[in-house]
Amino acid sequence: MAEPTKTFPKKEAALAAGLSEKVVAKAFKEGGKKGVEIEGAADTSGLTCFCTRMQSSDGNIKLLEAAMEGMNAVPDPEDPEERKGCSGHIAKLIISENEKAGAIAMVAYVPEDMKDKLNAIEWMKSVCETDLGGGVGGAPDDSSTDVWATCTAVEDKENFFFLKMKDNTLSAAIGYLREKGLFQDDESDDEGDNAAADFEW
């Protein structure tokens, strides 16, 4: 069994950037709760990749990274609080929007044992460069790696428009997984029930 997570550098970085403890804690907690939901879906369906929107990060990349850290955290079995995190074995691309700023933040994470199947930078690039419905824009940040990639795409009102970008991000992220054969749903040819197809993405 994996050791409980005791350090949270992304959460600490968000605090160091001047974000309030309350705001950071809210984003981190949302990630932890969503992580347990993802773990449950994986247990019932066998899914290995997941894409979703986060509500508490407000288009802020540091908050979204803290949320991803919460999703991946290994809980302490001795902790009396509710179970959180637990989805570090699932590849994920999460999205957060800020309509006022016309900005969409994205974080892609790939577990080490999936690096031969999926690359976080390439996954992120596929979303940024999609030609779906007007595109998304942006590019992976220079600090991105094969297992952790970040991007904040901002509308310019000439080439990219916020509402279209918002509509396209999740579809593009899932579309890339389909191309790689990593996402099975009702469009797949495989027979039988697939719980992932009924899960809210």
Side-chain angles (χ1 to χ4, degrees):
M1 181 179 292
E3 289 292 316
T5 307
K6 298 186 182 297
T7 59
F8 301 97
K10 302 299 184 184
K11 184 179 179 183
E12 293 301 322
L15 292 169
L19 293 161
S20 77
E21 188 170 340
K22 182 178 180 181
V23 168
V24 174
K26 185 177 181 181
F28 184 82
K29 182 177 181 180
E30 183 189 14
K33 292 180 71 174
K34 184 71 73 174
V36 171
E37 293 176 10
I38 295 168
E39 179 200 33
D43 286 346
T44 58
S45 70
L47 67 85
T48 58
C49 304
F50 191 87
C51 309
T52 193
R53 301 184 194 279
M54 306 299 286
Q55 303 302 315
S56 302
S57 297
D58 198 29
N60 184 294
I61 198 67
K62 290 194 177 298
L63 288 177
L64 197 59
E65 287 191 283
M68 181 70 87
E69 198 170 56
M71 294 172 117
N72 292 342
V74 178
D76 185 345
E78 303 298 323
D79 192 333
E81 289 190 20
E82 65 177 317
R83 199 158 172 264
K84 301 183 184 74
C86 311
S87 67
H89 59 298
I90 307 293
K92 295 177 286 292
L93 191 149
I94 58 175
I95 303 158
S96 176
E97 303 101 355
N98 184 316
E99 185 170 3
K100 186 176 180 180
I104 297 177
M106 297 175 281
V107 177
Y109 159 80
V110 175
E112 287 287 339
D113 62 0
M114 285 190 66
K115 284 171 60 177
D116 60 331
K117 299 178 181 177
L118 189 62
N119 179 291
I121 293 177
E122 294 302 319
W123 194 7
M124 186 68 74
K125 282 176 64 177
S126 75
V127 177
C128 295
E129 298 173 1
T130 183
D131 55 6
L132 278 174
V136 173
D141 295 324
D142 291 342
S143 59
S144 297
T145 69
D146 291 348
V147 297
W148 188 285
T150 58
C151 171
T152 302
V154 182
E155 72 171 346
D156 59 15
K157 299 188 185 299
E158 290 184 9
N159 301 301
F160 300 103
F161 297 88
F162 176 78
L163 292 179
K164 289 186 177 181
M165 293 161 63
K166 179 180 177 181
D167 288 344
N168 296 335
T169 48
L170 197 60
S171 296
I174 293 172
Y176 183 74
L177 295 178
R178 284 199 181 105
E179 291 175 8
K180 301 280 287 183
L182 295 171
F183 181 87
Q184 292 184 5
D185 57 8
D186 291 336
E187 294 184 9
S188 299
D189 294 330
D190 298 86
E191 295 182 0
D193 294 332
N194 181 9
D198 299 321
F199 195 74
E200 183 179 351
W201 293 74

